[in-house]
Amino acid sequence: MVKLGVNIDHIATLRQARKEFEPDPIQAACLCVNAGADSIVAHLREDRRHIHDKDIFQLKKKIKTRFNLEMSIADKIVKIACQVKPHQATLVPEKRQELTTEGGLDILKNFHRVKKTVKRLQDKNILVSLFIAADKKQIKRAKETGAEAIEIHTGVYANAKTKQEKTKELKKITAMTQYALTLGLIVNAGHGLKYHDTMPIARIPGINELNIGHSIISRAVFVGLHQAVKEMLALIKK
Ligand code: PXP
């Protein structure tokens, strides 16, 4: 069975829009776990735009499943990760101005820094995954860093505008998954996946876990809005 990791950054984004205490990402994480999520993903960005330091310490303490911390390879963030000791760390590239993680980590360019970071995290018993493009050279170098896992970036597939482009990307992700498996890597995938295009990725033989955030949190608004309005109406009528 392919596992599901739910990214709860968007809950924290909503909280930070008002700089209040709600919605609480920890409560959201517990709900996701109760619903069957195999892991909880949260990204401690260098600018702390959504998830904050206290959130990740709480997540590690409170959630009853795996905590996968998404993070850059910046020294300050690595130090925090080594204190929190999540079950897994997924190393991603990070730019201040971006809306979300754009593209995969370039292992060819950053090989030595990535390798050092992998070792620092593994020394704390943290399983390390590298978020990379579906590219043979990147996968080969990812293996050489010593990381146990990769997460294949599905953004190009998810954003493909034509059926041909989508099919081409799906084939590429499938082939690169098989290649990574032959190297002994655990293969995860994610980014930009929606309800209508997740199944073909979930069907790829050997995929371990899909990490999905935005579409699940977006759907949760509509699944829950009816109930939320009913509850407020009931209070007002009392
Ligand atoms: N995987 C990684 C490495 C990511 O950076 C993100 C976005 O935070 C996701 C998965 C989830 O992407 P989305 O929110 O588009 O589902």
Side-chain angles (χ1 to χ4, degrees), residues 20 138 223:
E20 284 197 20
Q138 294 287 344
V223 172

Side-chain angles (χ1 to χ4, degrees), residues 7 9-10 43 70 90 92 100-101 131 151 190-193 211-215:
N7 181 311
D9 294 348
H10 304 290
H43 185 174
E70 245 187 64
T90 299
V92 301
T100 180
T101 316
F131 184 52
E151 178 175 336
H191 207 285
L193 294 175
N211 293 317
I212 305 178
H214 191 260
S215 61

Side-chain angles (χ1 to χ4, degrees), residues 188-205:
N188 304 313
H191 207 285
L193 294 175
K194 310 271 186 280
Y195 283 80
H196 68 268
D197 59 15
T198 296
M199 260 169 68
I201 299 287
R203 279 203 197 104
I204 295 174

Side-chain angles (χ1 to χ4, degrees), residues 44-183:
L44 184 71
R45 292 188 75 99
E46 287 169 62
D47 62 11
R48 308 296 199 273
R49 67 171 75 154
H50 40 53
I51 292 290
H52 288 181
D53 301 45
K54 69 172 178 2
D55 297 324
I56 58 168
F57 281 95
Q58 288 275 304
L59 283 169
K60 174 65 201 302
K61 213 165 108 183
K62 294 251 171 89
I63 61 167
K64 294 193 168 49
T65 182
R66 275 177 305 116
F67 172 35
N68 176 4
L69 177 65
E70 245 187 64
M71 53 179 278
S72 74
I73 55 173
D75 186 55
K76 279 186 183 162
I77 297 288
V78 178
K79 273 193 186 132
I80 297 169
C82 287
Q83 286 169 18
V84 175
K85 298 195 191 85
H87 304 93
Q88 182 177 327
T90 299
L91 305 186
V92 301
E94 197 174 304
K95 293 188 215 111
R96 293 272 159 143
Q97 301 80 3
E98 67 191 355
L99 290 178
T100 180
T101 316
E102 290 165 2
L105 192 59
D106 189 341
I107 314 285
L108 308 182
K109 254 197 203 154
N110 301 290
F111 181 77
H112 294 289
R113 265 187 83 196
V114 173
K115 191 174 176 189
K116 249 195 205 164
T117 307
V118 169
K119 169 93 173 60
R120 276 174 77 185
L121 295 166
Q122 286 175 337
D123 284 348
K124 298 285 175 192
N125 279 328
I126 302 167
L127 187 142
V128 184
S129 178
L130 306 178
F131 184 52
I132 56 174
D135 177 271
K136 204 167 187 173
K137 283 190 195 142
Q138 294 287 344
I139 294 170
K140 185 172 176 290
R141 284 304 254 171
K143 173 70 185 174
E144 288 165 9
T145 65
E148 296 94 337
I150 58 166
E151 178 175 336
I152 295 184
H153 196 310
T154 51
V156 181
Y157 161 83
N159 295 328
K161 295 276 177 287
T162 63
K163 211 175 160 199
Q164 288 95 316
E165 202 191 333
K166 205 136 185 127
T167 308
K168 190 176 140 214
E169 277 307 311
L170 182 61
K171 275 191 184 153
K172 192 157 120 192
I173 295 170
T174 306
M176 289 304 106
T177 299
Q178 299 319 310
Y179 174 63
L181 289 171
T182 63
L183 299 182

